[in-house]
């Protein structure tokens, strides 16, 4: 337990980032943001500045802290890597498909709501097809993305156990660059959102 307390600061960063993400979404109405369907007549420069900071830091911090803390908790729950991956899939991927199948696709199709990953005017079959492929996710996009980040840290768990933190940091940077360069346009299962940039529109 004492070793676990050493990462309390990461848990604090995660909590602060979560609050910041909520504030970020609350401010989007007053920002010129293409991902928000409604906006004020004029964007606020102050809000624009804050949203740029939040978008570039807090969202990524929340996701990576969540993935790191989950991977490190494997030791305390006595799970193997396979069991950890399956457990993470149950908590993230299954809710994505259940919520998508019974709420997102029916609602967006019935009201013909335009959103990323759903072709305009798409019917139910097309909606379910893109939902199953992880393209049409709307606000559920973070579930797939968080799953991939958790998986990365789970697979790097042996290095974390041996405290090879520089190696973990280097691998994280390399994987992020690979995602930016080679996977930025892969919309399936939100792989492109592992390390999104301004050019990504999926």
């Amino acid at each position: 337990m004492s070793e676990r307390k050493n990462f309390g600061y990461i848990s604090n960063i995660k909590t602060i980032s979560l609050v910041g993400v909520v504030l970020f979404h609350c401010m989007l109405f007053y920002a010129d943001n293409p991902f928000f369907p409604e906006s004020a007549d004029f964007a606020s420069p102050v809000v624009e500045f804050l949203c740029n900071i939040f978008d570039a830091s807090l969202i990524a911090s929340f996701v990576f802290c969540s993935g790191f803390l989950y991977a490190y908790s494997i030791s305390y729950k006595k799970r193997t890597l396979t069991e950890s991956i399956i457990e993470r899939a149950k908590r993230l991927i299954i809710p994505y498909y259940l919520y998508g199948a019974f709420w997102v696709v029916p609602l967006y199709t019935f009201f013909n709501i335009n959103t990323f990953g759903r072709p305009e005017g798409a019917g139910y079959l097309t909606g379910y097809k893109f939902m199953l492929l992880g393209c049409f996710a709307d606000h559920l996009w973070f579930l797939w993305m968080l799953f991939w980040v958790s998986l990365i840290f789970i697979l790097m768990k042996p290095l974390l156990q041996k405290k090879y933190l520089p190696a973990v940091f280097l691998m994280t940077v390399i994987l992020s660059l690979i995602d930016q360069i080679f996977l930025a346009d892969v919309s399936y299962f939100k792989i492109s959102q592992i390390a999104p940039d301004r050019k990504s529109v999926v």
Side-chain angles (χ1 to χ4, degrees):
M1 292 301 292
S2 58
E3 187 177 6
R4 193 174 187 179
K5 291 180 180 179
N6 291 337
F7 293 102
Y9 66 95
I10 296 182
S11 181
N12 293 335
I13 294 174
K14 174 185 173 183
T15 302
I16 294 172
S17 299
L18 176 59
V19 174
V21 169
V22 174
L23 293 176
F24 166 73
H25 283 83
C26 291
M27 294 188 298
L28 283 180
F29 181 79
Y30 300 98
D32 182 16
N33 191 296
F35 297 98
F36 206 64
E38 304 292 341
S39 62
D41 294 334
F42 299 97
S44 168
V46 176
V47 172
E48 286 277 306
F49 176 74
L50 292 175
C51 283
N52 287 332
I53 294 178
F54 285 8
D55 190 27
S57 59
L58 295 180
I59 295 177
S61 296
F62 169 74
V63 170
F64 277 91
C65 287
S66 297
F68 176 87
L69 291 173
Y70 177 77
Y72 212 85
S73 71
I74 296 174
S75 300
Y76 302 97
K77 296 181 179 180
K78 306 300 181 182
R79 293 193 183 106
T80 64
L81 293 182
T82 302
E83 290 172 341
S84 299
I85 295 172
I86 292 175
E87 194 274 342
R88 203 57 171 162
K90 288 180 179 178
R91 296 192 62 174
L92 296 173
I93 306 306
I94 292 180
Y96 162 81
Y97 283 116
L98 288 176
Y99 193 72
F102 293 104
W103 179 259
V104 176
V105 173
L107 179 70
Y108 280 63
T109 305
F110 183 81
F111 291 102
N112 194 25
I113 301 174
N114 292 326
T115 186
F116 292 100
R118 177 183 180 271
E120 186 175 357
Y124 286 98
L125 289 179
T126 302
Y128 279 113
K129 170 188 173 182
F130 281 88
M131 185 272 295
L132 289 172
L133 293 174
C135 302
F136 170 31
D138 197 46
H139 55 287
L140 301 179
W141 67 272
F142 74 94
L143 293 176
W144 265 113
M145 181 268 297
L146 185 55
F147 172 77
W148 293 122
V149 174
S150 299
L151 179 61
I152 291 171
F153 278 112
I154 289 172
L155 295 178
M156 288 194 293
K157 181 61 165 53
L159 294 177
L160 290 172
Q161 284 181 318
K162 296 180 180 180
K163 301 185 183 301
Y164 293 157
L165 296 184
V168 173
F169 175 78
L170 180 61
M171 289 180 63
T172 302
V173 172
I174 292 174
L175 290 172
S176 178
L177 291 175
I178 290 174
D179 179 71
Q180 293 278 1
I181 297 172
F182 300 105
L183 303 175
D185 297 322
V186 181
S187 59
Y188 300 112
F189 310 110
K190 294 300 174 185
I191 293 176
S192 63
Q193 295 299 314
I194 300 173
D197 59 17
R198 292 291 181 181
K199 297 179 182 179
S200 178
V201 293
V202 292

